[in-house]
Amino acid sequence: MRELHVDQITRVVAKLAEETNFFLGEDVCRRISLCREQEDWPVAGDILEKIEENIRIAGEERLPLCQDTGMACVFLEVGQDVHLTGGNLEDAVNEGVRKGYTEGFLRKSIVADPIRRGNTGDNTPAHVHYEIVPGDRVKVILAPKGFGSENMSRIKMFPPSAGAEGVKDFIVQCVEEAGANPCPPIVVGVGIGGTFDRAALMAKQALLVPLEEPHPDEFYAAMEEELLERINGLGIGPQGFGGRTTALAVKIKTFPTHIAGMPVAVNINCHVSRHGEVVL
Amino acid sequence: MNEIRLEAPFSREKLKELKAGDSVLITGTIYTARDEAHKRMVEMLRQGKKLPFDIRDALIYYAGPAPARPGQVIGSVGPTTSYRMDPYAPVLLDLGQAGMIGKGPRSPEVKEAIVRNGAVYFAAIGGAAALIARSVTAAEVIAFEDLGAEAIRKLTVKDFPVTVAIDSQGNDQYELGKIKYLNKNRE
């Protein structure tokens, strides 16, 4: 069995915390630039230009793209043939968050208690999701999630009779109600099926999919396209001052569900759609 | 589209001239305050205490910056979503606050308070935080240091870029911009 010291996890989490906050994925940059070229509303074009300038400055000077450097959402895909040594895995992840957020001069945005508040001072704890997969590798994905967009996310337990139309209308309605709040242009992550919690998880994981990669199932790939078209017809535009570019992409994930149900979760991300991964 | 230069703190007369959708470059002194700082300020007022800065004619920036690197004035500092400050804003506007900088629409109560007091709500570009930090020339924590990013900071800014989101007459660019864009496409 392959042994892996948890210090490796700490090192990778710290590195990803900094890099994801300074550099945006090329897929996101390409989409923003494509949308700027296609934008038919001058104010919207100006805002997209400033957003691109911000990406350039952040990358060149290693500065956070957004001051909200997020809650660290960490997805660990642990190969079943790996033996992790040297300490507790989740402690190692949190040590990485602590190190990355401190050394990278990233904002500490986590409060210790949801009602009584109180900043923890080092951006811990991370939200960690574990998956056991075949093989002897460990994949570490880190997605810092800002809460301007997180707050605009919704979940609804539909009856099966709602059908595709009910699902699509709900997704568009979520985006319309969110309006300018989540810093459009946004990325819309959708989870359909599973259970209440599974739908929400899939909506977040949908935000990790490369923007230019359509859903493997043609039915859902067409739905992604149709939803993007409808959302970009709402007129909200970049920052909500009108325009075509309300969303950069709609990404869907699905899972089998119960005969009685059809859960739908919508997790919204801002244009600073950050995530990175390393395989150990 | 006109680009207007304004010095903060500014007079109500100057604010009256601003129209929803105008691009404005602000130079002068502004104060950062967000969720927890607003909660504390309103509690202080309830207890009859003096606020940590003079609220009259002040411009509040809804923001919590990233920490400054050595040699930097301030870390990345974009606006946070404004609606969370809606429960607190009317109280402060009625005490003479000239306006705020944030992002996203405001409640009817805040709009009424803006009109009642001849104030203005500006929007900065959410997520353009590294770019915006370039227009901050000085920063100093003046209250609630224990709140970290949420502490109240006095910022000196030069040509800080904003858009008039709600003007002193209550015109709302979040409604107007969308309507104008959609009408143009229907023509």
Side-chain angles (χ1 to χ4, degrees):
Chain A
M1 187 173 244
R2 182 176 171 232
E3 291 205 340
L4 186 70
H5 199 285
V6 292
D7 282 356
Q8 297 280 0
I9 306 281
T10 299
R11 182 181 59 81
V12 160
V13 167
K15 179 172 168 262
L16 285 172
E18 291 199 37
E19 287 184 353
T20 54
N21 274 298
F22 302 151
F23 312 107
L24 212 49
E26 282 177 14
D27 57 332
V28 184
C29 296
R30 276 195 298 269
R31 267 296 156 102
I32 292 172
S33 152
L34 183 70
C35 289
R36 176 181 44 74
E37 285 162 20
Q38 292 172 346
E39 187 54 72
D40 53 357
W41 194 235
V43 181
D46 287 349
I47 292 170
L48 292 173
E49 245 173 57
K50 295 228 171 75
I51 285 172
E52 289 189 290
E53 195 184 341
N54 185 65
I55 295 170
R56 203 162 49 241
I57 294 170
E60 280 169 13
E61 301 181 21
R62 290 180 69 86
L63 295 173
L65 289 145
C66 180
Q67 78 289 339
D68 184 354
T69 50
M71 184 161 198
C73 298
V74 177
F75 299 86
L76 289 177
E77 293 174 19
V78 183
Q80 61 190 27
D81 298 327
V82 180
H83 177 211
L84 294 161
T85 62
N88 180 301
L89 177 55
E90 193 144 335
D91 289 348
V93 168
N94 283 324
E95 185 52 35
V97 168
R98 191 174 291 121
K99 190 171 148 65
Y101 275 74
T102 308
E103 292 173 3
F105 293 88
L106 306 178
R107 198 180 77 181
K108 322 306 183 286
S109 310
I110 305 305
V111 292
D113 184 278
I115 294 176
R116 291 167 294 181
R117 318 300 287 176
N119 200 303
T120 61
D122 58 10
N123 219 55
T124 66
H127 161 60
V128 191
H129 177 77
Y130 302 93
E131 203 175 321
I132 303 297
V133 298
D136 65 355
R137 306 278 158 188
V138 176
K139 188 194 263 188
V140 182
I141 303 172
L142 189 142
K145 189 63 172 74
F147 261 54
S149 56
E150 191 75 355
N151 280 339
M152 295 296 121
S153 305
R154 300 283 180 269
I155 192 161
K156 188 161 179 172
M157 304 302 283
F158 277 100
S161 61
E165 289 313 307
V167 171
K168 287 188 277 189
D169 289 348
F170 172 66
I171 296 164
V172 174
Q173 187 198 336
C174 285
V175 173
E176 189 161 27
E177 284 174 9
N181 288 320
C183 284
I186 55 175
V187 177
V188 185
V190 180
I192 309 173
T195 52
F196 181 77
D197 51 324
R198 179 80 187 224
L201 173 67
M202 289 191 295
K204 176 144 277 111
Q205 287 174 329
L207 297 174
L208 306 173
V209 178
L211 299 189
E212 291 145 341
E213 188 181 300
H215 197 285
D217 178 335
E218 278 177 27
F219 175 80
Y220 288 106
M223 193 184 274
E224 289 176 343
E225 279 304 307
E226 185 193 334
L227 283 166
L228 183 61
E229 200 55 38
R230 274 179 70 179
I231 286 166
N232 284 338
L234 292 172
I236 297 167
Q239 299 296 310
F241 292 132
R244 174 171 166 73
T245 316
T246 300
L248 299 172
V250 178
K251 307 311 290 179
I252 299 175
K253 277 198 178 278
T254 61
F255 194 75
T257 190
H258 189 276
I259 47 172
M262 192 169 63
V264 182
V266 179
N267 194 202
I268 294 180
N269 210 354
C270 58
H271 57 86
V272 188
S273 186
R274 298 161 287 195
H275 53 91
E277 62 180 60
V278 170
V279 178
L280 288 169
Chain B
M1 196 170 41
N2 310 327
E3 199 153 58
I4 302 159
R5 284 197 146 77
L6 269 190
E7 299 244 349
F10 21 63
S11 69
R12 302 284 150 157
E13 283 68 41
K14 274 191 188 161
L15 290 184
K16 253 186 211 143
E17 293 166 13
L18 300 178
K19 296 274 167 273
D22 283 348
S23 288
V24 179
L25 296 172
I26 296 170
T27 294
T29 302
I30 64 176
Y31 297 90
T32 66
R34 47 174 291 159
D35 306 63
E36 196 63 25
H38 273 81
K39 190 177 166 205
R40 284 196 191 178
M41 284 197 288
V42 169
E43 266 165 28
M44 287 170 93
L45 289 170
R46 202 173 292 133
Q47 293 164 1
K49 288 182 187 159
K50 206 168 155 253
L51 293 178
F53 62 95
D54 187 2
I55 193 77
R56 279 213 67 81
D57 296 330
L59 185 56
I60 294 183
Y61 182 23
Y62 297 151
R69 284 176 190 276
Q72 228 189 345
V73 171
I74 197 162
S76 296
V77 60
T80 195
T81 320
S82 303
Y83 74 87
R84 297 193 314 272
M85 271 54 78
D86 284 357
Y88 311 112
V91 179
L92 299 174
L93 288 165
D94 286 339
L95 286 172
Q97 179 188 339
M100 46 249 152
I101 306 170
K103 67 171 171 90
R106 309 305 301 266
S107 68
E109 292 76 17
V110 173
K111 269 194 209 178
E112 281 164 25
I114 286 172
V115 174
R116 182 163 71 234
N117 294 290
V120 169
Y121 169 49
F122 299 99
I125 298 180
L131 174 67
I132 291 171
R134 289 193 162 182
S135 47
V136 179
T137 58
E140 177 198 357
V141 172
I142 58 159
F144 311 148
E145 195 160 9
D146 61 300
L147 293 180
E150 290 199 73
I152 295 182
R153 287 170 172 79
K154 182 180 176 180
L155 305 186
T156 310
V157 298
K158 188 171 188 318
D159 293 336
F160 186 101
V162 294
T163 300
V164 176
I166 302 176
D167 65 26
S168 58
Q169 283 85 53
N171 300 303
D172 185 344
Q173 193 60 18
Y174 288 112
E175 291 165 6
L176 298 173
K178 185 171 147 179
I179 292 167
K180 281 182 193 161
Y181 171 76
L182 292 174
N183 284 343
K184 178 198 82 107
N185 280 9
R186 276 190 206 105
E187 274 164 17

